[in-house]
């Protein structure tokens, strides 16, 4: 096996325990709804720090969680060891090789900014504040996914500290089984300290959204038109449908406050974008239209995801096809009358996402992904999520690990078919026999 022993004396991470100054601040992340109280926090700055933290956890028999940005909190660190990686934030672009190396705490916005001057782009998601490594380990469904596939499909190499405390350099050729498992298996196999990812030659794109007032143009009407439209577009066009009932509160901009906004978001690198989106503009009276040519550095404005920390709980369902009647029922359950504010997003899959790759990212046969976020506590959220996803069950092939926000207590459907799960479980036993990592989203759970 390709491995490098790391000497513990090199480690100099900040170690915090409950009651220490800075403990609560170190825990703070994007997700504010779920509290966690690890027995010890290792605030790491290097791979050596990570190795020392893993060795400590193994010696004490404590579970390990990893947090970069906190978009999805690692609940398995409760009473255990939490490794925070936000200080590992170095980004290195190789413009000739069209690659970027990112450390464990890097956010996508940093990568977009670093690659842009070379006319290159990463396969990032919609929110620049998301951690690049965790996103990619879970697949990575980006804004240009139908053209280029999953972010995981473009990973050249990973550096990972496994449960034995060793740093391994993993590629499709060196430790191919571990490479396959890491990309799709999430944090089940160790702590990834760095990743080399291929970039794509994209400097500009056509993108944005067209929005409708859901009380004027019904969400079901927009959804039906959207589903018909997706059958006509080329594989290189990536899009999603969204339904957001904004509350009538001062924190919301006046143009959105109290409105039920239905949107279609688009990202496309072709030259005929305006022609392709013309049917969307004919669905009904348009509330807002931001579709335009833009530099890739502005791609985060397509979705305009909230940048402020907040409470949410969410789940997803990958569908072999979109039954519009069933999806309309989900929209009704998650609409303005729901007991908590809910956000529905439906991603059009297919295209390059369906291509095979040497990793364990599952459900490539899916044609749509339905995501549902509830802005409340777990129990109240499940009152909406459970019946909503029951409506889609006949067409479901699984769930997306990237979008199981707080829903790791249910692992079914996250890791593919029986053969994939069996292989992952075997590699979990090989590389993490004591089950240190990722207990909430465990492949053997």
């Amino acid at each position: 096996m390709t491995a490098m022993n790391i000497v513990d004396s090199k480690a100099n991470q900040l170690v915090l325990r409950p009651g220490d100054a800075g403990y609560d601040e170190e825990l703070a992340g994007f997700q504010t709804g779920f509290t966690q109280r690890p027995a010890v926090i290792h605030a790491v700055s290097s791979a050596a720090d990570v190795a020392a933290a893993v060795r400590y956890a193994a010696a004490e028999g404590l579970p390990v969680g990893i947090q970069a940005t906190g978009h999805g909190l690692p609940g398995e660190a409760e009473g255990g060891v939490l490794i925070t990686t936000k200080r590992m934030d170095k980004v290195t672009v190789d413009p000739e090789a069209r690659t970027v190396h990112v450390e464990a705490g890097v956010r996508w916005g940093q990568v977009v900014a670093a690659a842009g001057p070379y006319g290159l782009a990463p396969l990032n998601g919609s929110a620049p504040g998301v951690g690049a490594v965790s996103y990619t380990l879970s697949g990575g469904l980006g804004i240009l996914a139908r053209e280029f596939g999953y972010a995981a499909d473009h990973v050249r190499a990973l550096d990972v500290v496994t449960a034995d405390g060793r740093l391994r350099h993993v590629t499709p050729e060196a430790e191919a089984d571990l490479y396959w498992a890491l990309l799709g298996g999430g944090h089940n196999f160790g702590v990834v300290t760095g990743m080399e990812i291929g970039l794509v030659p994209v400097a500009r794109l056509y993108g944005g959204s067209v929005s409708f007032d859901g009380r004027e143009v019904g969400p079901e009407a927009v959804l039906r038109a959207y589903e018909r439209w997706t059958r006509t577009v080329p594989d290189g066009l990536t899009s999603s449908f969204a339904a957001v009932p904004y509350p009538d509160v001062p924190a919301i901009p006046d143009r959105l406050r109290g409105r039920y906004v239905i949107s279609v978001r688009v990202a496309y690198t072709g030259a005929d974008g305006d022609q392709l989106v013309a049917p969307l503009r004919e669905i009904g009276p348009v509330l807002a239209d931001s579709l335009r040519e833009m530099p890739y550095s502005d791609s985060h404005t397509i979705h305009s995801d909230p940048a402020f920390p907040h409470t949410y709980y969410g789940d997803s369902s990958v569908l072999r096809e979109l039954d519009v009647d069933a999806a309309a029922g989900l929209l009704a359950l998650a609409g303005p009358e729901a007991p908590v504010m809910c956000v529905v997003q439906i991603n059009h899959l297919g295209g390059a996402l369906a291509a095979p790759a040497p990793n364990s990212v599952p459900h490539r046969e899916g044609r749509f992904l339905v995501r549902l976020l509830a802005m409340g506590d777990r129990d109240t959220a499940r009152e909406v999520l459970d019946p909503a996803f029951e409506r889609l069950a006949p067409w479901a092939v699984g769930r997306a690990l990237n979008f199981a926000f707080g829903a790791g207590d249910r692992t079914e459907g996250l890791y593919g078919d029986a053969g994939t799960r069996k292989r992952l479980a075997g590699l979990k036993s090989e590389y993490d026999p004591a089950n240190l990592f990722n207990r909430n989203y465990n492949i053997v759970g």
Side-chain angles (χ1 to χ4, degrees), residues 202-214:
V202 174
R204 301 186 63 82
L205 77 162
Y206 180 88
S209 67
V210 57
S211 302
F212 309 89
D213 187 322

Side-chain angles (χ1 to χ4, degrees), residues 6-305:
I6 297 180
V7 180
D8 284 347
S9 61
K10 293 181 180 178
N12 58 0
Q13 77 267 26
L14 176 66
V15 177
L16 299 168
R17 291 178 170 81
D20 288 347
Y23 175 92
D24 290 329
E25 290 78 8
E26 191 66 25
L27 281 176
F30 191 79
Q31 163 62 274
T32 62
F34 305 109
T35 59
Q36 54 178 344
R37 302 297 291 179
V40 58
I41 302 172
H42 287 250
V44 300
S45 299
S46 68
D49 293 351
V50 172
V54 170
R55 287 174 177 160
Y56 169 81
E60 298 295 322
L62 296 175
V64 176
I66 306 104
Q67 179 175 320
T69 65
H71 274 73
L73 288 185
E76 65 273 6
E78 186 74 19
V81 174
L82 178 66
I83 298 174
T84 59
T85 65
K86 58 188 175 183
R87 293 165 182 81
M88 298 179 67
D89 61 354
K90 186 176 180 181
V91 179
T92 306
V93 175
D94 183 337
E96 293 187 4
R98 291 183 178 175
T99 62
V100 62
H101 185 275
V102 299
E103 290 189 328
V106 167
R107 302 178 184 220
W108 276 125
Q110 298 170 253
V111 187
V112 172
Y118 304 105
L120 299 171
L123 295 178
N124 56 289
S126 59
V130 167
V133 168
S134 289
Y135 162 97
T136 305
L137 294 181
S138 298
L141 181 66
I143 57 174
L144 295 176
R146 277 175 46 85
E147 182 173 2
F148 295 108
Y150 289 99
D153 300 344
H154 295 259
V155 173
R156 308 285 183 85
L158 308 98
D159 295 313
V160 57
V161 175
T162 45
D164 55 9
R166 294 196 296 174
L167 178 64
R168 304 170 188 269
H169 185 68
V170 178
T171 71
E173 297 76 33
E175 300 206 61
D177 282 346
L178 184 55
Y179 173 92
W180 176 86
L182 283 166
L183 296 168
H187 291 290
N188 271 287
F189 301 92
V191 185
V192 172
T193 63
M195 183 181 290
E196 181 184 335
I197 313 170
L199 299 170
V200 295
V202 174
R204 301 186 63 82
L205 77 162
Y206 180 88
S209 67
V210 57
S211 302
F212 309 89
D213 187 322
R215 294 184 175 89
E216 183 176 2
V217 183
E220 182 177 345
V222 180
L223 180 60
R224 288 188 184 279
Y226 173 68
E227 192 276 335
R228 287 194 301 269
W229 176 76
T230 61
R231 302 179 207 168
T232 70
V233 299
D235 284 350
L237 190 149
T238 305
S239 67
S240 62
F241 165 100
V244 185
Y246 288 96
D248 187 4
V249 296
I252 302 297
D254 289 343
R255 62 186 178 82
L256 298 175
R257 189 183 304 172
R259 289 186 181 272
Y260 186 26
V261 179
I262 312 299
S263 303
V264 176
R265 290 88 164 256
V266 172
Y268 180 56
T269 62
D272 55 343
D274 248 350
Q275 177 182 344
L276 290 172
V277 303
L280 299 177
R281 291 172 165 143
E282 297 173 357
I283 292 173
V286 172
L287 178 65
D289 185 342
S290 65
L291 290 164
R292 67 201 187 279
E293 292 282 342
M294 67 177 73
Y296 195 82
S297 58
D298 287 349
S299 61
H300 63 280
T301 65
I302 294 173
H303 289 71
S304 295
D305 292 328

Side-chain angles (χ1 to χ4, degrees), residues 297-433:
S297 58
D298 287 349
S299 61
H300 63 280
T301 65
I302 294 173
H303 289 71
S304 295
D305 292 328
F308 53 87
H310 57 284
T311 298
Y312 52 94
Y313 181 90
D315 212 339
S316 64
S317 184
V318 182
L319 308 177
R320 65 175 61 89
E321 61 181 274
L322 183 65
D323 183 281
V324 177
D325 291 332
L330 179 146
L331 286 171
L333 289 171
E337 306 307 316
V340 292
M341 177 184 170
C342 296
V343 175
V344 177
Q345 181 164 312
I346 302 176
N347 292 78
H348 184 205
L349 305 180
L353 293 166
N359 57 52
S360 56
V361 178
H363 312 316
R364 292 177 181 267
E365 73 275 28
R367 291 194 60 242
F368 288 91
L369 168 69
V370 177
R371 301 157 53 182
L372 177 54
L373 284 180
M375 309 301 170
D377 65 84
R378 188 187 309 256
D379 292 339
T380 306
R382 291 239 68 97
E383 292 178 13
V384 180
L385 268 67
D386 288 347
F389 283 115
E390 280 180 18
R391 293 175 178 265
L392 304 178
W395 302 273
V397 298
R399 298 159 63 214
L401 186 57
N402 273 132
F403 307 110
F405 294 117
D409 50 335
R410 298 190 309 109
T411 59
E412 65 271 16
L414 291 177
Y415 300 109
D417 60 23
T420 299
R421 293 194 303 272
K422 182 178 179 180
R423 184 180 175 190
L424 285 169
L427 291 167
K428 174 75 169 176
S429 298
E430 178 182 349
Y431 286 98
D432 184 19

